[in-house]
Amino acid sequence: MEEKKLNIPKLMPVLMAFIVMSFVDLVGIGVDKVKSDMSLSNTLAQLIPSAAFLWFLLLSVPVGIIQARIGKRLMLNIGMLVTAAGLLVPFFIYSFSMVLFGFALLGIGNTIVQVSANPLIIDVVPSNRTSSFLSFSQFIKAIGSMIGAPLAGFFALKFGDWKLLFLVFGIVSILSVLWLGMTKVDERKPENIKVTFGSAFSLLGNGFILLMVLAIFVVVGIDVGFNSNSGQLLMRHFGIEQTAAESGRSVYFFGRMLGTFAGAILLTKISSRKFLMGTSFFGILAFIAILAIPSAAAAWVLVFLIGMFVANIWPLVFSIAVEKYPDRSNEISGLMMSAICGGAVIPLVMGWVSDLSSVTAGIWVLIACMLYLFGVGVYSLKR
C-alpha cells in the first residue's frame, strides 16, 4: 500500500493542540501565586493540582468510548473549549473556590485533549513517522509549559496582574478550536473493535500492564509535584528570591523540552527499555544531588537535569506497553490516561509531608517514585 505523504496544513492545528495541552502546567504558577495571594498552607495550596488532575482517573476511559462514536477532532475541540473556560473563570472571578473550580475545568479539558490529541496526530502523519512525531509533539508541549512562568512574571511587572496569563491562554485555546474546526482531518476508525469499560479494566489483571499503568501514575506525579514545589524548594532550601525561584519551573521545562528532542534522536539507537532504566537512574541521582548540594548555582543546573531525565519516561512507558500488546492499544491508552491522576495524588502527599516536616522532606516522596520507575525499567528489560 502506498505510504501517504505528510500534510503540513493538517498537522499544524493538531500540533497546536499540544500547546493548549501544556496549559494544565499552570498548576505550578497557580500554587505559588495563589498560596502567596491568599496565605494558604502547603496542604491547601496542593488542592490546586489535585483539582486539575483528579479528572484523568474519572474521565479518561469514558472520553475514549465517546470519542469512538463522535470522532477525535470533535472531541479535541470540546476539550480545548473546556480548557478555555477553565482559564477564564479564575481571571474574571479570583477567589480560592473559583480558582479550584477553574483548575477543575482545566483538568477536565486537559483530560479530553490528552485522550484525543495523541491518537489524532497518528491519523495525520505517515505511519512510518508516528514515533518521531509523538516525541516531537511532547517537544511542542514542553515549549508551551516553559513559557508560563516568564509570561506570568512579565504581566505582573508590566501590568501589575499575573492573572492576565489566564486571559491570554484562554484566547489562544479558543483560536485553536477555530483553526482545527476549519481543518478537514481523515480519521482512521478501528474495524471490528469495541472498547468497553470491561475490556479496558480487565487488563489490570495483567501484571505487566498494571506495573506500566502505575508507572504513568508515578511519573506524572513526579512531573506535577516538582513543577508545583520547585519554587518553594528554591526559595526555602537555597534562599533564592521569589520571582527568580518561580522561574525555576521554566528551567525545568526547558530541560524537558531538550530532553524530548534528544530522546527522539537517541531512541533511534538505544532500546526503549534500556533508555527507561538509564534515565530513571540518572533522575534518582539528580534528585538526591539537589538536596545534598547547598549551592544555588548548582540548583539551577540540577533543576534543568531533572527536567531532562524525566522528559522521556511517559512516552517510553507508553510505547513499551503498546509494543508488547499492540492489539490492546485502545484499552491501554485509556488506562494510562486515567493514571495521569497521579498528578492529583502525589503533590497532595508532598504537601502533607512538607507541612509535617519541610519542603525538602517532600522531595523524598519524588525520590521514592523515581526508585519505582527504575525498578520498572529493570523489570521490563529482563522481560
Side-chain angles (χ1 to χ4, degrees):
M1 189 174 75
E2 185 180 352
E3 188 66 59
K4 72 177 182 181
K5 295 180 179 180
L6 182 64
N7 189 318
I8 299 297
K10 291 184 179 181
L11 174 64
M12 292 304 293
V14 181
L15 285 177
M16 189 64 201
F18 285 85
I19 295 289
V20 176
M21 188 189 295
S22 74
F23 294 164
V24 76
D25 290 320
L26 289 177
V27 293
I29 280 291
V31 167
D32 283 344
K33 294 294 189 182
V34 177
K35 182 177 186 296
S36 176
D37 292 347
M38 302 182 186
S39 302
L40 305 176
S41 68
N42 287 312
T43 303
L44 206 57
Q46 292 301 326
L47 286 176
I48 293 172
S50 295
F53 286 91
L54 174 66
W55 301 101
F56 285 94
L57 174 65
L58 302 177
L59 297 180
S60 292
V61 174
V63 167
I65 294 172
I66 296 170
Q67 177 176 286
R69 298 175 182 174
I70 69 173
K72 305 180 192 75
R73 187 184 67 156
L74 178 56
M75 202 75 221
L76 180 54
N77 266 344
I78 291 171
M80 290 193 291
L81 277 176
V82 176
T83 297
L87 291 163
L88 295 176
V89 164
F91 173 73
F92 288 110
I93 310 173
Y94 189 54
S95 66
F96 185 57
S97 60
M98 286 296 100
V99 166
L100 289 181
F101 179 62
F103 274 94
L105 287 177
L106 187 60
I108 293 169
N110 197 262
T111 302
I112 299 170
V113 171
Q114 293 258 20
V115 172
S116 304
N118 287 293
L120 187 60
I121 202 169
I122 294 173
D123 289 349
V124 299
V125 302
S127 58
N128 64 328
R129 300 180 69 178
T130 295
S131 297
S132 61
F133 272 100
L134 281 173
S135 296
F136 185 69
S137 68
Q138 294 301 309
F139 171 72
I140 296 295
K141 179 178 180 290
I143 293 174
S145 300
M146 186 180 65
I147 63 177
L151 277 179
F154 171 76
F155 288 134
L157 183 64
K158 188 75 174 178
F159 303 104
D161 188 0
W162 70 272
K163 298 188 299 299
L164 284 169
L165 186 65
F166 290 137
L167 178 63
V168 171
F169 281 2
I171 293 171
V172 170
S173 300
I174 293 170
L175 293 176
S176 299
V177 170
L178 297 175
W179 190 8
L180 182 60
M182 294 186 293
T183 305
K184 179 176 170 54
V185 177
D186 298 320
E187 300 183 25
R188 300 171 188 167
K189 296 183 179 179
E191 298 179 3
N192 303 320
I193 298 176
K194 186 176 181 181
V195 179
T196 65
F197 285 99
S199 68
F201 288 108
S202 66
L203 278 176
L204 293 177
N206 181 309
F208 182 82
I209 296 298
L210 180 60
L211 282 176
M212 291 301 179
V213 170
L214 288 175
I216 295 292
F217 179 91
V218 164
V219 72
V220 176
I222 292 169
D223 185 40
V224 178
F226 191 70
N227 175 17
S228 59
N229 285 274
S230 60
Q232 297 296 315
L233 176 69
L234 293 173
M235 282 187 284
R236 297 189 181 186
H237 188 58
F238 295 97
I240 296 172
E241 185 268 330
Q242 181 174 352
T243 302
E246 289 172 354
S247 298
R249 60 180 47 89
S250 292
V251 176
Y252 169 73
F253 284 119
F254 183 58
R256 281 198 57 184
M257 182 183 69
L258 292 185
T260 52
F261 186 76
I265 298 171
L266 291 172
L267 283 167
T268 63
K269 303 180 182 299
I270 304 173
S271 77
S272 56
R273 289 166 172 78
K274 288 181 180 179
F275 200 111
L276 175 61
M277 186 176 67
T279 198
S280 301
F281 175 74
F282 286 113
I284 293 168
L285 295 183
F287 271 113
I288 292 174
I290 204 169
L291 296 182
I293 300 174
S295 166
W300 294 108
V301 175
L302 289 166
V303 167
F304 172 81
L305 290 176
I306 288 169
M308 282 200 73
F309 296 138
V310 170
N312 291 288
I313 295 178
W314 194 100
L316 283 169
V317 171
F318 186 88
S319 64
I320 289 169
V322 173
E323 179 186 86
K324 189 169 180 64
Y325 297 100
D327 56 327
R328 308 298 297 274
S329 59
N330 286 323
E331 291 100 325
I332 291 170
S333 178
L335 289 172
M336 289 193 167
M337 294 302 172
S338 298
I340 292 176
C341 70
V345 177
I346 290 175
L348 200 59
V349 174
M350 289 183 68
W352 177 68
V353 172
S354 296
D355 280 338
L356 287 178
S357 181
S358 64
V359 173
T360 54
I363 298 298
W364 281 101
V365 176
L366 302 185
I367 294 173
C369 292
M370 288 300 303
L371 286 167
Y372 173 80
L373 291 172
F374 177 70
V376 169
V378 173
Y379 176 79
S380 66
L381 186 61
K382 289 182 176 180
R383 288 289 296 268

